[in-house]
Amino acid sequence: MNLETIKNLQTSLKALENQLINHQQNRAVVENVEGQIASLKGQNDFNLLQGIKKNLELLNGAFCDEKGLGKLNLMLHNAKIPPKYYDIFYAMLAQATPPPPPCQTPLCIDCGAHAGLISDIILHCGGRVECFEPNIYLNFFLKRKFENNKNVKIHQKAVSNKAGKTQFLTFQNRILSQGNRIVESVQDSETSGAYEVEIINLCEFLEQKEERIYLLKLDVEGAEFDILPHLIEKRFYEKIDFIVCETHEYMFENGYEKLEQIQKELQKRGVKNVFLDWC
């Protein structure tokens, strides 16, 4: 369904409403509405079948190719990564295959790791990952998943442009929600509780890394607008191969202006490896 379809349906419904108000009986108006609704239902049914077909193909590929591309494609789809970014992970497979002499496996930083779906993909591609996730409940699952994996380091901390402690806000009383955050926003009226978490200065953390970082992922529920200007000012895009970020401009009254300023700064500097439309 697109905006044009919705507008056409609104026009038809308005015509039907006027007919009912005026006690008219023009069958063509009714048939027009019925036809549009039937068309939408048919398109929805088609999309549903196509989705089922694709999922079955991905499951079949993963079953037959558990350690290879089949499993990777299912993981990428499950994590809702835009297909245009699949190559970031395909390329990691090549980097993680050591020619003589053995190379170091790619290092990735997963900020806002949540349930570890992106970290799972990084590991499948032969990388190493440091996870940042302040949610105390999600950390239970992360530790259970990765506690014996030498290629994973878990930090039960939030990331920001400063270090210290702050309140981690619970959105709509959902303790596992991706809407939980450390920043104030227009959603504060839907915040039902909070608990204290540790925060780190992400730029200072990155500056301590001597090796090159392959991927930095930011999905930090609005804190990206505190972090990104400093990352750009310190030119971390020159030290990191890919920086991907899910932005949450809708959380702020001036969120779209914040995003536009960052986009303009990246464009002015000619930065090509920072992507702000992740997921």
Side-chain angles (χ1 to χ4, degrees), residues 1-11 36 40:
M1 184 181 294
N2 55 37
L3 184 59
E4 183 180 359
T5 303
I6 294 173
K7 287 182 176 179
N8 289 338
L9 183 58
Q10 286 177 329
T11 301
Q36 289 187 56
L40 287 171

Side-chain angles (χ1 to χ4, degrees), residues 33-238:
V33 173
E34 290 176 341
Q36 289 187 56
I37 292 174
S39 176
L40 287 171
K41 183 179 184 304
Q43 184 63 50
N44 182 67
D45 291 344
F46 175 79
N47 291 338
L48 178 62
L49 289 174
Q50 289 295 100
I52 293 172
K53 179 183 176 183
K54 181 175 182 179
N55 286 336
L56 288 173
E57 289 173 349
L58 287 167
L59 287 168
N60 183 61
F63 180 78
C64 297
D65 189 19
E66 183 180 359
K67 295 184 179 180
L69 189 59
K71 176 72 173 292
L72 175 58
N73 284 334
L74 177 62
M75 296 171 76
L76 292 167
H77 177 74
N78 184 53
K80 298 180 174 58
I81 295 173
K84 63 182 177 179
Y85 294 132
Y86 283 15
D87 281 352
I88 292 176
F89 299 96
Y90 295 156
M92 192 189 304
L93 285 166
Q95 285 205 17
T97 304
C103 67
Q104 196 168 30
T105 55
L107 174 62
C108 305
I109 312 297
D110 186 359
C111 298
H114 200 252
L117 297 184
I118 304 301
S119 294
D120 284 334
I121 295 170
I122 291 166
L123 295 172
H124 186 82
C125 293
R128 292 172 293 129
V129 60
E130 295 203 34
C131 305
F132 285 90
E133 177 53 60
N135 189 305
I136 58 176
Y137 304 100
L138 288 168
N139 263 273
F140 168 80
F141 297 104
L142 290 173
K143 290 172 182 176
R144 189 165 68 174
K145 283 176 68 172
F146 300 133
E147 62 182 351
N148 295 320
N149 195 318
K150 65 179 181 180
N151 289 319
V152 182
K153 186 173 183 180
I154 301 170
H155 303 272
Q156 189 173 323
K157 301 175 182 179
V159 295
S160 184
N161 62 333
K162 58 187 177 182
K165 292 185 177 181
T166 191
Q167 292 295 302
F168 188 62
L169 307 175
T170 303
F171 180 61
Q172 295 182 338
N173 201 31
R174 297 182 295 179
I175 60 175
L176 299 182
S177 171
Q178 292 181 323
N180 298 346
R181 63 199 184 279
I182 62 170
V183 297
E184 295 180 352
S185 82
V186 296
Q187 295 179 331
D188 284 352
S189 61
E190 299 180 72
T191 299
S192 55
Y195 51 87
E196 188 176 73
V197 298
E198 186 176 351
I199 56 175
I200 68 152
N201 185 314
L202 182 60
C203 287
E204 290 181 356
F205 172 83
L206 295 173
E207 285 172 343
Q208 296 172 3
K209 296 295 180 184
E210 297 181 356
E211 64 183 291
R212 186 171 183 82
I213 296 170
Y214 182 78
L215 173 68
L216 169 63
K217 187 218 85 179
L218 292 170
D219 184 3
V220 289
E221 305 302 321
E224 67 271 11
F225 293 113
D226 295 329
I227 296 169
L228 283 169
H230 296 275
L231 285 176
I232 296 169
E233 180 184 355
K234 294 178 179 292
R235 307 174 74 92
F236 276 103
Y237 51 82
E238 295 179 351

Side-chain angles (χ1 to χ4, degrees), residues 13-26:
L13 288 171
K14 187 64 178 178
L16 180 59
E17 179 186 5
N18 290 334
Q19 178 170 293
L20 293 171
I21 291 172
N22 296 313
H23 304 286
Q24 298 173 348
Q25 296 183 358
N26 187 338

